[in-house]
Amino acid sequence: MEVMAGLPELLAAALQPAFDRFEPGSDPVVRPSGRAGVDFQANGAMALAKRLSQRPSEVAEQIVGWADLQAVCSSVEVSAQGFINLTLADSWLAGRVGLHAGDPRLGVVPAPRAMTVVVDYSHPNVAKEMHVGHLRTTVIGDALCRLLSFAGHTVVRENHIGDWGTPFGMLIEHLLDIGEEEAAHELSVGDLDSFYRASRAAFDASPEFQERARHRVVLLQSGDPETLRLWQVLVDQSVAYFQAVYERLDVLLQPSDVVGESSYNDLLPVVVQELDERGLLVVSDGARCVFPEGFVNRDGTPLPLIVQKSDGGFGYAATDLAALRDRFGRLAADLALYVVGAPQAQHLAMCFAVAEAAGYLPSAEQAVHVPFGNMLGADRKMFKTRAGATVKLGDLLDEAVVRASAAVAERSELDAGERAAVARMVGIGALKYADLSTDRIRDYVFDYDRMLAFDGNTGPYLQYARVRCLSIFRRASLEIADFLNGSVEVVISEPPERALALALLGFSAAIDETLATWSPHKLCTYLFDLAGLYTTFFESCPVLKAPSPEVRDSRLVLCAVTAATLGLGLSVLGIEAPERM
RNA sequence: GCCCCUGUAGCUCAGUCGGAUAGAGCGGCUGCCUUCUAAGCAGCGGGUCGCAGGUUCGAGUCCUGCCGGGGGCGCCA
């Protein structure tokens, strides 16, 4: 079987020889067409005509005359302005969908060169509650991991948790004050915020506590075994708590993916030494810095990346550099993605620049910041992550399931046993889809009603469309697999069948575009359009009561491929799909 | 002050390497459950694509300037 390719590429390839006769290598510029009755349009003739000082429509006419599109298109027309309008033949389209149905990957070709990709995402802080600010990095990062795996790459998930730094002196002393058992209990029930706040309160209230905390930091940094043991208690309890959240959210992260800041401690002096050896290090105001080119601060003077502070402590830049060294060295990564908020853009750009200069990063394009916009409060300001009260991620997940349970109870005919599982998939699916379905770079205002909507362009709408595909097979006691082996002929008679078929063939392009730009919302948009076209088809084209057995079987193929596409699409986004709802 | 991101329908957002008459969801209005799941469908109404220039056969898309919003700019991470 020929390698499945996207329709635009296929048409462009068919037109290329004709374009080459005018000007070798000129681009046919094939795009989907919005015009009624036209599937694609080739716009390249107009630019070509301009360059050759000829009439666009005449150039287009000649190209059409030379091109061999008989087998593929039912109509090829040239507009007065020089657009070439291409309409695929129903029979060709039907045959194409038949092939598509037999492909378990639904037309998505594995990446020609499999890479090792490190994805850095989620990164919550030890002894701190996961809040809604962690949602975007976690959900987007997880979707990218799944997409990359599906594309054939080796994915190394790294959860770069905040498990080191001066706050731990305070946290450990507080742990001792309330007793290990009580501390472990508080942390294990996920009440990290009150633990952290109580530590902070003790620190602010008592000079004696402050002194103990400072001393404890020294003990921690010097590797005192008992202090490390207490620190480990905090880390272990926190990681267990994170894991509970991840499982509720249905993300891939495991405790074994945790590579906390502390894991680079031994590397930090090495990094400093190597930066020094390469002549990159400059001491400025007592701090050891690198001044990457092109970065300036307020007054126009060069902006430093502070690697080692004047007090001898290492800044987080040192940790980030060590992580880059580790990822491209020990792990031999081909690519590292940083699913980190947009405010860190400058910091990461500086780290990447320094890492490249230091030889840690082989080439600039191999480290990619995948930024996302801020979650804003009702006041349109950034949700505070430091002192300010924000919404706990756990509370948001609770609310998602509560609302979904109510919706399931109200709308679904499922029995009680199935309802809980479906409510979880619907609620969490709605929440994740809400985050994935808009361009990640944009800021958005935190809003329960928007994030947990179940109608319209939402996760549940996609789940529901798939459920409606599956219910047809259940109703008729048919196996969906029998319609996904390429053995059943597809015929196209009604417009909704045709529109659905055309959309199904666009899956690989949607995946490609999503990965090319690290933008899950592109796949969401595709799936939503597909679900809408399926629903139109579902409303107007009876399947089990089709006019003939041939049409019935053909429509069953369309249902089967739609279900498979929605299921696979949701799956690579990290959204579960129930069998019924 | 400098830099980054952003501005599209009442609200929330899509809009592909610049293509023809800018789309969807929510909300509003009108219909549609005796036929495969109404978390749905069909239809109506809704636009100075922030503003002004420029490039181009063609600009929501590219360039410049201005305005509004968010963020960043040396020892927190």
Side-chain angles (χ1 to χ4, degrees), chain A residues 105 108-115 148-153 512 515:
Chain A
R105 294 183 59 87
V108 181
V109 181
R113 191 175 71 88
M115 300 186 292
L148 284 162
S149 293
F150 177 61
H153 300 296
D512 290 348
L515 279 171

Side-chain angles (χ1 to χ4, degrees), chain A residues 161-182:
Chain A
I161 64 171
D163 66 353
W164 202 252
T166 48
F168 282 89
M170 162 186 104
L171 293 164
I172 290 168
E173 285 303 318
H174 178 64
L175 179 147
L176 288 169
D177 283 357
I178 65 173
E180 265 184 68
E181 248 178 69
E182 173 58 25

Side-chain angles (χ1 to χ4, degrees), chain A residues 86-99:
Chain A
L86 304 164
T87 303
L88 299 170
D90 289 358
S91 57
W92 183 86
L93 198 52
R96 201 74 195 168
V97 174
L99 290 176

Side-chain angles (χ1 to χ4, degrees), chain A residues 106 462-463 465-471 473 480 484 500 504 527 530 534 556-570 577 579:
Chain A
L106 299 172
L462 302 188
Q463 293 168 328
R466 177 170 172 276
V467 160
R468 296 221 282 189
C469 298
L470 299 181
S471 84
F473 292 89
I480 192 168
L484 289 174
L500 179 59
L504 289 169
L527 294 174
L530 176 65
Y534 174 75
L556 283 165
V557 174
L558 293 175
C559 292
V561 179
T562 302
T565 305
L566 290 172
L568 181 55
L570 286 169
E579 296 294 300

